[in-house]
Amino acid sequence: VQSASAAGLISGSQVRDLPSNTRNYALLIILQPGVSSALASDQPYVGATTLDGNFNHVSFSVNGARDSQNNWTLDGADNVDRGSNQTLLTYPSIDSIEELKVLRGNYDAQFGRGSGAQINVLTRSGTGVFHGSAYEFFRNDVLAANNFFNNLNELPRPPLRYNDFGLTIGGPVFIPRLYAKKTFFFFSEEWRRVIRSE
């Protein structure tokens, strides 16, 4: 008898189509029932550390558990720093994600290492035809509204130049007369350039 898990699934097309001001997939966890975070905000930097050397924490409380009690995996492999249990090791590009699944309770025996949530990301794979994309997303202070306190003190908007650009390509491995469409590949690369003032 298999127990029913409280699960939330976000498909790859939904991950790519949902608006995200930082294009950080971890922030999509907040869309699931029972998830809360005091720090899920505008975090434009991805990676284990921020530009000032501090750790990039993924602080999501699921069903009242501590934010360090979640287990993050990427294609089934561990993706969380076991020192703090709050820092992700790899941030795949949103365009390379096939699905994002969040299990919030009643886990099967295959899951462990966390009494909070089991968060698994599956990346895309190649198909029998070639496909790809190139993109750039940007944010600029000229396009943003000023915040309340800056307006109150007659201060200008803080400068922000945020560019996120990349490409994906996938398809079959094909060598004429030697090897025909039995192996597939998918490649994704993303670059970010951020200039901002705190």
Side-chain angles (χ1 to χ4, degrees):
V1 176
Q2 187 175 3
S3 63
S5 297
L9 179 68
I10 303 174
S11 70
S13 59
Q14 290 172 326
V15 168
R16 290 185 291 280
D17 292 343
L18 284 168
S20 172
N21 62 348
T22 60
R23 293 186 42 83
N24 180 351
Y25 83 91
L27 297 179
L28 298 176
I29 305 304
I30 200 75
L31 299 175
Q32 301 297 316
V35 179
S36 64
S37 176
L39 300 176
S41 61
D42 189 8
Q43 180 184 7
Y45 311 109
V46 295
T49 59
T50 60
L51 296 179
D52 59 2
N54 292 323
F55 289 109
N56 244 347
H57 292 287
V58 285
S59 56
F60 299 98
S61 173
V62 181
N63 293 340
R66 292 177 182 249
D67 55 6
S68 61
Q69 295 175 327
N70 299 321
N71 187 38
W72 296 76
T73 56
L74 177 64
D75 290 329
D78 206 18
N79 190 31
V80 69
D81 172 27
R82 287 296 163 201
S84 67
N85 272 8
Q86 292 180 320
T87 303
L88 295 184
L89 302 174
T90 303
Y91 287 84
S93 164
I94 280 184
D95 290 78
S96 68
I97 294 176
E98 180 66 30
E99 73 176 30
L100 173 63
K101 188 171 189 178
V102 182
L103 299 175
R104 301 183 312 276
N106 295 334
Y107 314 125
D108 294 332
Q110 64 181 332
F111 299 107
R113 291 186 159 184
S115 59
Q118 304 290 330
I119 302 151
N120 189 26
V121 175
L122 295 178
T123 56
R124 295 168 68 186
S125 63
T127 62
V129 295
F130 288 101
H131 60 276
S133 64
Y135 55 87
E136 179 182 7
F137 296 90
F138 75 95
R139 292 169 54 195
N140 191 301
D141 58 274
V142 175
L143 304 173
N146 206 354
N147 69 41
F148 172 80
F149 296 105
N150 283 354
N151 282 336
L152 184 67
N153 296 312
E154 298 181 0
L155 297 172
R157 291 181 296 259
L160 172 64
R161 305 291 185 276
Y162 177 86
N163 299 85
D164 181 353
F165 45 95
L167 58 92
T168 64
I169 186 167
V173 174
F174 179 70
I175 303 171
R177 289 180 258 176
L178 292 177
Y179 193 77
K181 297 186 179 183
K182 294 181 183 176
T183 305
F184 307 98
F185 74 94
F186 185 83
F187 175 79
S188 173
E189 184 71 38
E190 185 171 84
W191 303 271
R192 293 174 191 238
R193 184 177 60 206
V194 182
I195 301 171
R196 71 184 303 179
S197 169
E198 297 293 335

